[in-house]
Amino acid sequence: MNINATLIGQTIAFAVFVWFCMKFVWPPIVTALNERKARITEGLAAAEQGRQEKAAAEQQALKVTDEAKSQAQEILRRAERREAEVIEEAKVAARVEGERIVAAARSEIDKEVNTARETLRKQVAALAVVGAEQILGREVDSQAHSQLLDELATQL
Amino acid sequence: MSSNTLTATGYINHHLQNLTFGQLPGDRGWGLAHTASEAKAMGFWAINVDTMFWSIALGVLFLWAFRKAARRATAETPTGLLNFVEWVIEFIDDNVRGSFSHKNDLIAPLALTLFVWVLLMNTMDLVPIDWIPGIAKWLGIEYMKVVPTTDPNATFGMAFGVFALTLFYSIKVKGPLGFAAELTMQPFQADNKALKVLFIPINFFLEFVSLVAKPISLSLRLFGNLFAGEMIFILIALLFSGGIALALVGGILQWAWAVFHILIVLLQAFIFMTLTIVYLEMAHSHH
């Protein structure tokens, strides 16, 4: 237990060990530790960012589907309106057409009636002439009495 | 046990004697001391071979293991040895960050070296005290003290290293004048010039004592704790030669003391490291 030169030897050994540790042991391990720390921080940040992006994408998807839904509704509404319009138009067209047909038929009928009336008039005139001939026993000069006959026919 | 003394005193003394190499008395040249008085007669220029051997072997073991881990250090998932080494390094780093507030790349490796090295040297105390000396005896080596921290040379050697660093950084950070002022201008301060001059020697005496007390208390604390622990192991070991009943008691006592000693081994290494950090922090900070 004497104090001797071991003291110096121990101090030197101590200094060498500390030097070696400072040079070759501490820096690589601490560097690796810091690097890993940075990596973990990065990873966590990336995860956080991913989470935020996912939330944003979900929001976006919701917005898109909402838009699509409202668009579909809009289209449906427009189609319904159009349907009503078409029906209305068709109704109008049908009414016009019907009226036109009725008018045409009516004028046709009028024409027919006139024609029939004309024919009937002529036949009645002829019949009257024939009747008069028989009554008078002679031929009525249709030329001479045509005016009379025409008057008669008009009266019918 | 020593061949010529089978007494309890002889056994204890034998265990407390380092294997000393130096100039033998009576012009017998250089060699190993064969008795305690021979070792004493060698004076300062002798070396405790066992202390040097075990401390350097343990220091090399520490640096080899940690260097091996450092070579493999990556930012990937750590495994095995690297995991353990990183755990130790983070523990040291936390401690240094906790008590040292300046920028100095030396402090953390210094703390790591001191902690692990002192811990390994202290741990040698847990090896049953007659094993290694027994083997040494068988190999023809007379003395063998396997716990370097029970040799004051080892603890003072480290403490002087720390003391030198304290002085170096005190002067580097505060300048020679700043350091001198720190030693002479406090704790007693005065505005009066004459009083100030009067206080200089008083302050210097107080500050010098506290400055020198640091390395001495640092080394003696470690030495004292480990020496006392070793001493108790030696005393317990004496029981083994006192019959079967005493040997049994000795066995139980040795186990109990070893378990308790684990705490001391760890605690003293930790205290030595922490105080070193604190002393260097004080050397870096201005008053």
Side-chain angles (χ1 to χ4, degrees), chain A residues 1-11 13-14 16-18 20-22 24-26 28-30 32-37 39, chain B residues 44 46-48 51-52 55 59 63 66-67 70 74-76 78 85-86 89 93 106 108-110 112-114 117 153-154 156-157 223:
Chain A
M1 254 211 302
N2 312 310
I3 292 292
N4 56 27
T6 312
L7 187 70
I8 300 167
Q10 287 288 317
T11 310
F14 170 58
V16 171
F17 288 155
V18 170
F20 186 89
C21 183
M22 190 173 92
F24 301 109
V25 174
W26 189 266
I29 294 176
V30 167
L33 283 177
N34 287 340
E35 213 172 290
R36 190 177 314 139
K37 223 173 274 172
R39 247 190 230 190
Chain B
F44 183 78
I47 200 132
N48 294 340
T51 301
M52 288 306 290
S55 63
L63 288 174
F66 273 58
R67 175 65 188 158
T74 60
E76 310 298 324
V85 166
E86 281 183 5
I89 283 196
D93 205 35
L106 172 71
L110 172 72
L112 173 70
T113 310
L114 277 176
W117 194 29
N153 285 305
F156 272 103
F223 164 70

Short mmCIF file of all heavy atoms in Angstrom, two decimals, chain A residues 1-11 13-14 16-18 20-22 24-26 28-30 32-37 39, chain B residues 44 46-48 51-52 55 59 63 66-67 70 74-76 78 85-86 89 93 106 108-110 112-114 117 153-154 156-157 223:
data_model
loop_
_atom_site.label_atom_id
_atom_site.label_comp_id
_atom_site.label_asym_id
_atom_site.label_seq_id
_atom_site.Cartn_x
_atom_site.Cartn_y
_atom_site.Cartn_z
N MET A 1 0.82 -1.20 0.00
CA MET A 1 0.00 0.00 0.00
C MET A 1 0.86 1.26 0.00
O MET A 1 0.52 2.26 0.60
CB MET A 1 -0.91 -0.01 1.23
CG MET A 1 -2.33 -0.33 0.83
SD MET A 1 -3.46 0.48 1.90
CE MET A 1 -2.97 -0.15 3.50
N ASN A 2 2.01 1.17 -0.63
CA ASN A 2 2.88 2.34 -0.68
C ASN A 2 2.53 3.17 -1.90
O ASN A 2 2.15 2.63 -2.94
CB ASN A 2 4.35 1.91 -0.79
CG ASN A 2 4.66 0.84 0.22
OD1 ASN A 2 4.36 1.01 1.40
ND2 ASN A 2 5.26 -0.26 -0.24
N ILE A 3 2.67 4.47 -1.75
CA ILE A 3 2.55 5.34 -2.92
C ILE A 3 3.87 5.25 -3.66
O ILE A 3 4.94 5.49 -3.11
CB ILE A 3 2.29 6.79 -2.47
CG1 ILE A 3 0.90 6.92 -1.84
CG2 ILE A 3 2.44 7.75 -3.65
CD1 ILE A 3 -0.24 6.75 -2.81
N ASN A 4 3.80 4.85 -4.92
CA ASN A 4 5.04 4.76 -5.70
C ASN A 4 4.76 5.11 -7.16
O ASN A 4 3.71 5.68 -7.48
CB ASN A 4 5.67 3.38 -5.56
CG ASN A 4 4.72 2.27 -5.95
OD1 ASN A 4 3.83 2.48 -6.76
ND2 ASN A 4 4.91 1.10 -5.37
N ALA A 5 5.63 4.76 -8.03
CA ALA A 5 5.52 5.16 -9.44
C ALA A 5 4.28 4.61 -10.12
O ALA A 5 3.92 5.05 -11.21
CB ALA A 5 6.77 4.71 -10.19
N THR A 6 3.63 3.65 -9.47
CA THR A 6 2.36 3.15 -10.01
C THR A 6 1.39 4.30 -10.26
O THR A 6 0.63 4.29 -11.22
CB THR A 6 1.72 2.17 -9.00
OG1 THR A 6 2.71 1.27 -8.57
CG2 THR A 6 0.57 1.42 -9.62
N LEU A 7 1.51 5.31 -9.38
CA LEU A 7 0.69 6.51 -9.51
C LEU A 7 0.83 7.12 -10.90
O LEU A 7 -0.16 7.44 -11.57
CB LEU A 7 1.17 7.50 -8.44
CG LEU A 7 0.38 8.77 -8.23
CD1 LEU A 7 -0.95 8.45 -7.60
CD2 LEU A 7 1.18 9.69 -7.31
N ILE A 8 2.07 7.26 -11.34
CA ILE A 8 2.34 7.85 -12.66
C ILE A 8 1.80 6.93 -13.76
O ILE A 8 1.14 7.36 -14.70
CB ILE A 8 3.85 8.10 -12.83
CG1 ILE A 8 4.33 9.07 -11.74
CG2 ILE A 8 4.15 8.64 -14.22
CD1 ILE A 8 5.83 9.12 -11.63
N GLY A 9 2.11 5.63 -13.58
CA GLY A 9 1.64 4.65 -14.57
C GLY A 9 0.13 4.68 -14.70
O GLY A 9 -0.40 4.67 -15.82
N GLN A 10 -0.55 4.76 -13.58
CA GLN A 10 -2.02 4.79 -13.60
C GLN A 10 -2.54 6.04 -14.28
O GLN A 10 -3.49 6.00 -15.04
CB GLN A 10 -2.56 4.71 -12.17
CG GLN A 10 -2.41 3.33 -11.56
CD GLN A 10 -3.36 2.34 -12.17
OE1 GLN A 10 -4.53 2.63 -12.40
NE2 GLN A 10 -2.87 1.16 -12.47
N THR A 11 -1.87 7.17 -13.98
CA THR A 11 -2.31 8.42 -14.61
C THR A 11 -2.15 8.33 -16.13
O THR A 11 -3.04 8.74 -16.89
CB THR A 11 -1.49 9.61 -14.07
OG1 THR A 11 -1.52 9.54 -12.65
CG2 THR A 11 -2.06 10.92 -14.53
N ALA A 13 -2.06 5.54 -17.98
CA ALA A 13 -3.04 4.59 -18.49
C ALA A 13 -4.41 5.25 -18.61
O ALA A 13 -5.10 5.12 -19.63
CB ALA A 13 -3.12 3.37 -17.56
N PHE A 14 -4.74 6.00 -17.57
CA PHE A 14 -6.02 6.70 -17.54
C PHE A 14 -6.14 7.67 -18.72
O PHE A 14 -7.12 7.69 -19.46
CB PHE A 14 -6.13 7.44 -16.20
CG PHE A 14 -7.28 8.40 -16.09
CD1 PHE A 14 -8.58 7.98 -16.26
CD2 PHE A 14 -7.04 9.74 -15.82
CE1 PHE A 14 -9.63 8.88 -16.16
CE2 PHE A 14 -8.09 10.64 -15.71
CZ PHE A 14 -9.38 10.20 -15.89
N VAL A 16 -4.51 7.63 -21.54
CA VAL A 16 -4.57 6.91 -22.82
C VAL A 16 -5.96 6.35 -23.04
O VAL A 16 -6.53 6.45 -24.15
CB VAL A 16 -3.50 5.78 -22.85
CG1 VAL A 16 -3.70 4.90 -24.07
CG2 VAL A 16 -2.11 6.38 -22.85
N PHE A 17 -6.55 5.79 -22.01
CA PHE A 17 -7.90 5.21 -22.13
C PHE A 17 -8.92 6.30 -22.50
O PHE A 17 -9.75 6.11 -23.39
CB PHE A 17 -8.32 4.52 -20.83
CG PHE A 17 -7.59 3.24 -20.58
CD1 PHE A 17 -7.43 2.75 -19.29
CD2 PHE A 17 -7.06 2.49 -21.63
CE1 PHE A 17 -6.76 1.57 -19.05
CE2 PHE A 17 -6.39 1.31 -21.40
CZ PHE A 17 -6.23 0.85 -20.10
N VAL A 18 -8.80 7.42 -21.81
CA VAL A 18 -9.75 8.52 -22.09
C VAL A 18 -9.57 9.00 -23.54
O VAL A 18 -10.54 9.21 -24.27
CB VAL A 18 -9.56 9.69 -21.11
CG1 VAL A 18 -10.37 10.90 -21.55
CG2 VAL A 18 -10.00 9.26 -19.72
N PHE A 20 -8.40 7.32 -26.10
CA PHE A 20 -8.92 6.31 -27.03
C PHE A 20 -10.45 6.35 -27.09
O PHE A 20 -11.05 6.32 -28.16
CB PHE A 20 -8.45 4.92 -26.59
CG PHE A 20 -8.82 3.83 -27.57
CD1 PHE A 20 -7.95 3.50 -28.61
CD2 PHE A 20 -10.03 3.15 -27.47
CE1 PHE A 20 -8.29 2.52 -29.52
CE2 PHE A 20 -10.37 2.17 -28.38
CZ PHE A 20 -9.49 1.84 -29.41
N CYS A 21 -11.03 6.46 -25.91
CA CYS A 21 -12.49 6.48 -25.84
C CYS A 21 -13.04 7.70 -26.57
O CYS A 21 -14.02 7.61 -27.32
CB CYS A 21 -12.91 6.53 -24.37
SG CYS A 21 -14.68 6.47 -24.13
N MET A 22 -12.36 8.85 -26.39
CA MET A 22 -12.84 10.08 -27.02
C MET A 22 -12.66 10.03 -28.53
O MET A 22 -13.43 10.63 -29.28
CB MET A 22 -12.05 11.24 -26.44
CG MET A 22 -12.59 12.59 -26.81
SD MET A 22 -11.74 13.88 -25.93
CE MET A 22 -10.45 14.28 -27.05
N PHE A 24 -12.18 7.00 -30.56
CA PHE A 24 -12.65 5.84 -31.34
C PHE A 24 -13.93 5.19 -30.83
O PHE A 24 -14.47 4.32 -31.50
CB PHE A 24 -11.54 4.77 -31.38
CG PHE A 24 -10.27 5.26 -32.00
CD1 PHE A 24 -9.14 5.47 -31.23
CD2 PHE A 24 -10.19 5.52 -33.36
CE1 PHE A 24 -7.97 5.93 -31.80
CE2 PHE A 24 -9.04 5.98 -33.93
CZ PHE A 24 -7.91 6.18 -33.15
N VAL A 25 -14.36 5.56 -29.63
CA VAL A 25 -15.53 4.87 -29.09
C VAL A 25 -16.75 5.78 -29.07
O VAL A 25 -17.79 5.46 -29.62
CB VAL A 25 -15.25 4.32 -27.67
CG1 VAL A 25 -16.51 3.75 -27.06
CG2 VAL A 25 -14.15 3.28 -27.72
N TRP A 26 -16.56 6.93 -28.46
CA TRP A 26 -17.72 7.82 -28.25
C TRP A 26 -18.30 8.36 -29.57
O TRP A 26 -19.52 8.22 -29.78
CB TRP A 26 -17.32 8.96 -27.31
CG TRP A 26 -18.48 9.78 -26.88
CD1 TRP A 26 -18.94 10.92 -27.46
CD2 TRP A 26 -19.36 9.52 -25.78
NE1 TRP A 26 -20.04 11.38 -26.80
CE2 TRP A 26 -20.33 10.55 -25.76
CE3 TRP A 26 -19.44 8.51 -24.82
CZ2 TRP A 26 -21.34 10.59 -24.82
CZ3 TRP A 26 -20.45 8.57 -23.88
CH2 TRP A 26 -21.38 9.60 -23.89
N PRO A 28 -18.41 7.48 -32.91
CA PRO A 28 -19.24 6.68 -33.83
C PRO A 28 -20.57 6.27 -33.22
O PRO A 28 -21.60 6.30 -33.91
CB PRO A 28 -18.38 5.44 -34.12
CG PRO A 28 -17.18 5.52 -33.29
CD PRO A 28 -17.10 6.85 -32.67
N ILE A 29 -20.56 5.95 -31.93
CA ILE A 29 -21.81 5.50 -31.32
C ILE A 29 -22.79 6.66 -31.18
O ILE A 29 -23.97 6.53 -31.51
CB ILE A 29 -21.53 4.84 -29.94
CG1 ILE A 29 -20.73 3.55 -30.16
CG2 ILE A 29 -22.82 4.54 -29.21
CD1 ILE A 29 -20.31 2.87 -28.90
N VAL A 30 -22.28 7.81 -30.75
CA VAL A 30 -23.18 8.95 -30.58
C VAL A 30 -23.71 9.41 -31.94
O VAL A 30 -24.88 9.78 -32.08
CB VAL A 30 -22.44 10.09 -29.83
CG1 VAL A 30 -23.21 11.38 -29.92
CG2 VAL A 30 -22.27 9.70 -28.37
N ALA A 32 -24.21 7.47 -34.51
CA ALA A 32 -25.24 6.50 -34.90
C ALA A 32 -26.54 6.77 -34.14
O ALA A 32 -27.63 6.74 -34.70
CB ALA A 32 -24.76 5.08 -34.63
N LEU A 33 -26.38 7.09 -32.86
CA LEU A 33 -27.58 7.36 -32.04
C LEU A 33 -28.33 8.59 -32.56
O LEU A 33 -29.55 8.56 -32.68
CB LEU A 33 -27.17 7.60 -30.58
CG LEU A 33 -26.82 6.36 -29.76
CD1 LEU A 33 -26.37 6.75 -28.37
CD2 LEU A 33 -28.00 5.42 -29.66
N ASN A 34 -27.55 9.63 -32.86
CA ASN A 34 -28.20 10.86 -33.35
C ASN A 34 -28.88 10.61 -34.70
O ASN A 34 -29.97 11.11 -34.95
CB ASN A 34 -27.17 11.97 -33.48
CG ASN A 34 -26.76 12.49 -32.12
OD1 ASN A 34 -27.49 12.30 -31.14
ND2 ASN A 34 -25.61 13.12 -32.03
N GLU A 35 -28.16 9.82 -35.54
CA GLU A 35 -28.72 9.51 -36.85
C GLU A 35 -30.05 8.78 -36.69
O GLU A 35 -31.04 9.07 -37.36
CB GLU A 35 -27.73 8.62 -37.60
CG GLU A 35 -27.72 8.82 -39.10
CD GLU A 35 -26.57 8.03 -39.71
OE1 GLU A 35 -25.40 8.40 -39.50
OE2 GLU A 35 -26.86 7.02 -40.35
N ARG A 36 -30.04 7.80 -35.77
CA ARG A 36 -31.26 7.03 -35.56
C ARG A 36 -32.37 7.93 -35.03
O ARG A 36 -33.53 7.83 -35.44
CB ARG A 36 -31.00 5.88 -34.59
CG ARG A 36 -32.19 4.92 -34.54
CD ARG A 36 -31.94 3.73 -33.63
NE ARG A 36 -30.64 3.15 -33.85
CZ ARG A 36 -29.86 2.74 -32.87
NH1 ARG A 36 -30.24 2.86 -31.63
NH2 ARG A 36 -28.68 2.22 -33.13
N LYS A 37 -31.98 8.83 -34.12
CA LYS A 37 -32.96 9.74 -33.56
C LYS A 37 -33.59 10.57 -34.69
O LYS A 37 -34.81 10.73 -34.75
CB LYS A 37 -32.26 10.66 -32.56
CG LYS A 37 -33.07 10.87 -31.29
CD LYS A 37 -32.26 11.65 -30.26
CE LYS A 37 -31.39 10.74 -29.41
NZ LYS A 37 -30.47 11.46 -28.54
N ARG A 39 -33.74 9.81 -37.79
CA ARG A 39 -34.57 8.95 -38.64
C ARG A 39 -35.94 8.71 -38.04
O ARG A 39 -36.96 8.74 -38.73
CB ARG A 39 -33.87 7.59 -38.81
CG ARG A 39 -33.42 7.39 -40.23
CD ARG A 39 -32.97 5.98 -40.40
NE ARG A 39 -31.67 5.97 -41.03
CZ ARG A 39 -31.10 4.87 -41.47
NH1 ARG A 39 -31.69 3.71 -41.32
NH2 ARG A 39 -29.94 4.93 -42.07
N PHE B 44 9.85 5.38 -3.81
CA PHE B 44 8.87 5.80 -4.82
C PHE B 44 9.07 5.11 -6.15
O PHE B 44 8.11 4.79 -6.84
CB PHE B 44 8.97 7.33 -5.01
CG PHE B 44 7.96 7.85 -5.97
CD1 PHE B 44 6.63 8.03 -5.58
CD2 PHE B 44 8.32 8.13 -7.30
CE1 PHE B 44 5.69 8.48 -6.49
CE2 PHE B 44 7.37 8.59 -8.20
CZ PHE B 44 6.06 8.77 -7.79
N ALA B 46 9.17 2.44 -7.62
CA ALA B 46 8.81 1.03 -7.74
C ALA B 46 7.42 0.99 -8.35
O ALA B 46 6.72 1.99 -8.35
CB ALA B 46 8.82 0.37 -6.37
N ILE B 47 7.08 -0.15 -8.86
CA ILE B 47 5.78 -0.20 -9.52
C ILE B 47 4.99 -1.41 -9.03
O ILE B 47 5.56 -2.49 -8.85
CB ILE B 47 5.95 -0.19 -11.06
CG1 ILE B 47 4.66 0.26 -11.75
CG2 ILE B 47 6.42 -1.52 -11.60
CD1 ILE B 47 4.94 1.30 -12.78
N ASN B 48 3.70 -1.19 -8.80
CA ASN B 48 2.86 -2.31 -8.38
C ASN B 48 2.37 -3.05 -9.63
O ASN B 48 1.45 -2.61 -10.30
CB ASN B 48 1.67 -1.81 -7.57
CG ASN B 48 2.10 -1.20 -6.25
OD1 ASN B 48 3.21 -1.47 -5.77
ND2 ASN B 48 1.25 -0.38 -5.67
N THR B 51 -1.42 -4.13 -9.76
CA THR B 51 -2.35 -3.02 -9.99
C THR B 51 -2.31 -2.60 -11.46
O THR B 51 -3.35 -2.45 -12.10
CB THR B 51 -1.97 -1.82 -9.11
OG1 THR B 51 -2.03 -2.23 -7.75
CG2 THR B 51 -2.91 -0.66 -9.34
N MET B 52 -1.09 -2.43 -11.98
CA MET B 52 -0.96 -2.02 -13.37
C MET B 52 -1.59 -3.05 -14.30
O MET B 52 -2.34 -2.72 -15.22
CB MET B 52 0.53 -1.84 -13.74
CG MET B 52 1.19 -0.64 -13.15
SD MET B 52 0.33 0.92 -13.47
CE MET B 52 0.62 1.15 -15.21
N SER B 55 -5.54 -3.24 -13.90
CA SER B 55 -6.23 -2.03 -14.35
C SER B 55 -6.12 -1.88 -15.85
O SER B 55 -7.12 -1.55 -16.53
CB SER B 55 -5.67 -0.80 -13.63
OG SER B 55 -4.32 -0.62 -13.96
N GLY B 59 -9.14 -2.04 -18.45
CA GLY B 59 -9.35 -0.89 -19.33
C GLY B 59 -9.37 -1.31 -20.79
O GLY B 59 -10.20 -0.85 -21.58
N LEU B 63 -12.38 -0.99 -23.48
CA LEU B 63 -12.25 -0.29 -24.77
C LEU B 63 -12.44 -1.25 -25.93
O LEU B 63 -13.02 -0.90 -26.96
CB LEU B 63 -10.90 0.40 -24.85
CG LEU B 63 -10.80 1.63 -23.94
CD1 LEU B 63 -9.38 2.18 -23.95
CD2 LEU B 63 -11.78 2.71 -24.36
N PHE B 66 -16.22 -1.90 -26.26
CA PHE B 66 -16.94 -0.71 -26.73
C PHE B 66 -16.52 -0.35 -28.16
O PHE B 66 -17.34 0.12 -28.94
CB PHE B 66 -16.73 0.46 -25.77
CG PHE B 66 -17.71 0.47 -24.64
CD1 PHE B 66 -17.82 -0.62 -23.79
CD2 PHE B 66 -18.56 1.54 -24.43
CE1 PHE B 66 -18.74 -0.64 -22.76
CE2 PHE B 66 -19.49 1.54 -23.40
CZ PHE B 66 -19.57 0.44 -22.56
N ARG B 67 -15.24 -0.58 -28.46
CA ARG B 67 -14.77 -0.28 -29.81
C ARG B 67 -15.45 -1.23 -30.81
O ARG B 67 -15.81 -0.84 -31.91
CB ARG B 67 -13.24 -0.42 -29.87
CG ARG B 67 -12.64 -0.27 -31.25
CD ARG B 67 -12.86 1.14 -31.77
NE ARG B 67 -12.46 1.21 -33.17
CZ ARG B 67 -12.90 2.14 -34.01
NH1 ARG B 67 -13.76 3.04 -33.62
NH2 ARG B 67 -12.48 2.16 -35.25
N ALA B 70 -18.71 0.07 -31.36
CA ALA B 70 -18.65 1.33 -32.12
C ALA B 70 -18.44 1.06 -33.61
O ALA B 70 -18.96 1.77 -34.46
CB ALA B 70 -17.51 2.19 -31.58
N THR B 74 -24.70 1.49 -36.19
CA THR B 74 -25.45 2.00 -37.33
C THR B 74 -26.73 2.61 -36.81
O THR B 74 -27.07 2.48 -35.65
CB THR B 74 -25.85 0.87 -38.30
OG1 THR B 74 -26.66 -0.06 -37.58
CG2 THR B 74 -24.65 0.19 -38.89
N ALA B 75 -27.43 3.26 -37.73
CA ALA B 75 -28.71 3.85 -37.35
C ALA B 75 -29.83 2.82 -37.43
O ALA B 75 -30.98 3.12 -37.14
CB ALA B 75 -29.02 5.04 -38.25
N GLU B 76 -29.45 1.57 -37.81
CA GLU B 76 -30.48 0.52 -37.88
C GLU B 76 -30.82 0.06 -36.46
O GLU B 76 -30.30 0.57 -35.49
CB GLU B 76 -29.96 -0.67 -38.70
CG GLU B 76 -29.37 -0.29 -40.04
CD GLU B 76 -30.40 0.34 -40.96
OE1 GLU B 76 -31.57 -0.07 -40.91
OE2 GLU B 76 -30.06 1.28 -41.69
N PRO B 78 -30.44 -1.67 -33.23
CA PRO B 78 -29.26 -2.22 -32.59
C PRO B 78 -29.54 -3.62 -32.01
O PRO B 78 -30.66 -3.92 -31.62
CB PRO B 78 -28.99 -1.22 -31.47
CG PRO B 78 -30.30 -0.62 -31.15
CD PRO B 78 -31.11 -0.63 -32.42
N VAL B 85 -24.19 -1.39 -25.18
CA VAL B 85 -23.26 -0.26 -25.18
C VAL B 85 -24.01 1.05 -25.35
O VAL B 85 -23.72 2.05 -24.68
CB VAL B 85 -22.20 -0.46 -26.30
CG1 VAL B 85 -21.44 0.83 -26.55
CG2 VAL B 85 -21.23 -1.56 -25.89
N GLU B 86 -25.02 1.05 -26.22
CA GLU B 86 -25.81 2.26 -26.42
C GLU B 86 -26.56 2.64 -25.15
O GLU B 86 -26.68 3.82 -24.82
CB GLU B 86 -26.81 2.05 -27.56
CG GLU B 86 -26.15 2.19 -28.91
CD GLU B 86 -27.16 2.04 -30.02
OE1 GLU B 86 -28.36 1.93 -29.73
OE2 GLU B 86 -26.72 2.01 -31.18
N ILE B 89 -24.07 4.23 -22.91
CA ILE B 89 -23.68 5.56 -23.41
C ILE B 89 -24.81 6.56 -23.19
O ILE B 89 -24.56 7.71 -22.83
CB ILE B 89 -23.27 5.44 -24.89
CG1 ILE B 89 -21.88 4.84 -24.94
CG2 ILE B 89 -23.32 6.79 -25.58
CD1 ILE B 89 -21.15 4.98 -26.21
N ASP B 93 -24.55 9.89 -21.10
CA ASP B 93 -24.88 11.14 -21.79
C ASP B 93 -25.93 11.92 -21.01
O ASP B 93 -25.82 13.15 -20.86
CB ASP B 93 -25.39 10.80 -23.19
CG ASP B 93 -25.17 11.97 -24.15
OD1 ASP B 93 -24.15 12.66 -23.98
OD2 ASP B 93 -26.01 12.18 -25.02
N LEU B 106 -14.81 16.51 -24.50
CA LEU B 106 -14.01 15.57 -23.71
C LEU B 106 -14.80 14.98 -22.55
O LEU B 106 -14.59 13.83 -22.18
CB LEU B 106 -12.77 16.31 -23.16
CG LEU B 106 -11.92 15.53 -22.15
CD1 LEU B 106 -11.18 14.41 -22.85
CD2 LEU B 106 -10.95 16.43 -21.44
N ALA B 108 -17.92 13.88 -21.85
CA ALA B 108 -18.72 12.66 -21.91
C ALA B 108 -17.85 11.40 -22.08
O ALA B 108 -18.03 10.43 -21.34
CB ALA B 108 -19.75 12.76 -23.04
N PRO B 109 -16.87 11.38 -23.00
CA PRO B 109 -16.01 10.19 -23.07
C PRO B 109 -15.21 9.97 -21.79
O PRO B 109 -15.00 8.83 -21.37
CB PRO B 109 -15.07 10.49 -24.23
CG PRO B 109 -15.73 11.54 -25.03
CD PRO B 109 -16.56 12.33 -24.09
N LEU B 110 -14.83 11.09 -21.16
CA LEU B 110 -14.10 10.99 -19.88
C LEU B 110 -14.99 10.32 -18.84
O LEU B 110 -14.56 9.38 -18.14
CB LEU B 110 -13.70 12.39 -19.42
CG LEU B 110 -13.10 12.52 -18.01
CD1 LEU B 110 -11.71 11.95 -18.00
CD2 LEU B 110 -13.09 13.97 -17.55
N LEU B 112 -17.57 8.40 -19.38
CA LEU B 112 -17.80 6.99 -19.76
C LEU B 112 -16.61 6.13 -19.34
O LEU B 112 -16.78 5.07 -18.73
CB LEU B 112 -18.02 6.90 -21.27
CG LEU B 112 -18.11 5.48 -21.83
CD1 LEU B 112 -19.40 4.82 -21.38
CD2 LEU B 112 -18.02 5.47 -23.34
N THR B 113 -15.41 6.59 -19.67
CA THR B 113 -14.21 5.82 -19.33
C THR B 113 -14.12 5.61 -17.83
O THR B 113 -13.91 4.49 -17.36
CB THR B 113 -12.95 6.56 -19.84
OG1 THR B 113 -13.15 6.91 -21.20
CG2 THR B 113 -11.73 5.69 -19.71
N LEU B 114 -14.30 6.70 -17.08
CA LEU B 114 -14.17 6.59 -15.63
C LEU B 114 -15.21 5.62 -15.08
O LEU B 114 -14.89 4.73 -14.30
CB LEU B 114 -14.37 7.97 -14.98
CG LEU B 114 -13.13 8.84 -14.96
CD1 LEU B 114 -13.47 10.20 -14.40
CD2 LEU B 114 -12.05 8.18 -14.11
N TRP B 117 -14.59 1.89 -16.37
CA TRP B 117 -13.30 1.38 -15.91
C TRP B 117 -13.32 1.15 -14.40
O TRP B 117 -12.95 0.08 -13.92
CB TRP B 117 -12.19 2.38 -16.30
CG TRP B 117 -10.81 1.83 -16.17
CD1 TRP B 117 -10.42 0.54 -16.30
CD2 TRP B 117 -9.63 2.59 -15.89
NE1 TRP B 117 -9.06 0.42 -16.13
CE2 TRP B 117 -8.56 1.68 -15.87
CE3 TRP B 117 -9.37 3.94 -15.65
CZ2 TRP B 117 -7.24 2.08 -15.63
CZ3 TRP B 117 -8.06 4.33 -15.42
CH2 TRP B 117 -7.00 3.40 -15.40
N ASN B 153 -2.70 4.07 -5.27
CA ASN B 153 -2.00 4.56 -6.47
C ASN B 153 -2.97 4.70 -7.64
O ASN B 153 -2.89 5.65 -8.42
CB ASN B 153 -0.89 3.59 -6.86
CG ASN B 153 0.29 3.71 -5.93
OD1 ASN B 153 0.82 4.80 -5.74
ND2 ASN B 153 0.68 2.60 -5.32
N ALA B 154 -3.86 3.72 -7.77
CA ALA B 154 -4.80 3.74 -8.89
C ALA B 154 -5.81 4.87 -8.73
O ALA B 154 -6.06 5.63 -9.66
CB ALA B 154 -5.51 2.40 -9.00
N PHE B 156 -5.60 7.56 -6.79
CA PHE B 156 -4.95 8.86 -6.86
C PHE B 156 -4.52 9.18 -8.29
O PHE B 156 -4.56 10.34 -8.72
CB PHE B 156 -3.74 8.92 -5.91
CG PHE B 156 -4.10 9.36 -4.52
CD1 PHE B 156 -4.22 8.44 -3.49
CD2 PHE B 156 -4.34 10.71 -4.27
CE1 PHE B 156 -4.57 8.85 -2.22
CE2 PHE B 156 -4.69 11.12 -2.99
CZ PHE B 156 -4.81 10.19 -1.96
N GLY B 157 -4.11 8.16 -9.01
CA GLY B 157 -3.71 8.37 -10.41
C GLY B 157 -4.85 8.98 -11.20
O GLY B 157 -4.67 9.95 -11.94
N PHE B 223 -11.10 4.72 -2.81
CA PHE B 223 -10.15 3.79 -2.19
C PHE B 223 -10.71 3.26 -0.87
O PHE B 223 -10.71 2.06 -0.62
CB PHE B 223 -8.81 4.50 -1.97
CG PHE B 223 -7.91 3.79 -1.00
CD1 PHE B 223 -7.32 2.58 -1.35
CD2 PHE B 223 -7.67 4.32 0.27
CE1 PHE B 223 -6.50 1.92 -0.46
CE2 PHE B 223 -6.87 3.65 1.16
CZ PHE B 223 -6.28 2.45 0.80
#
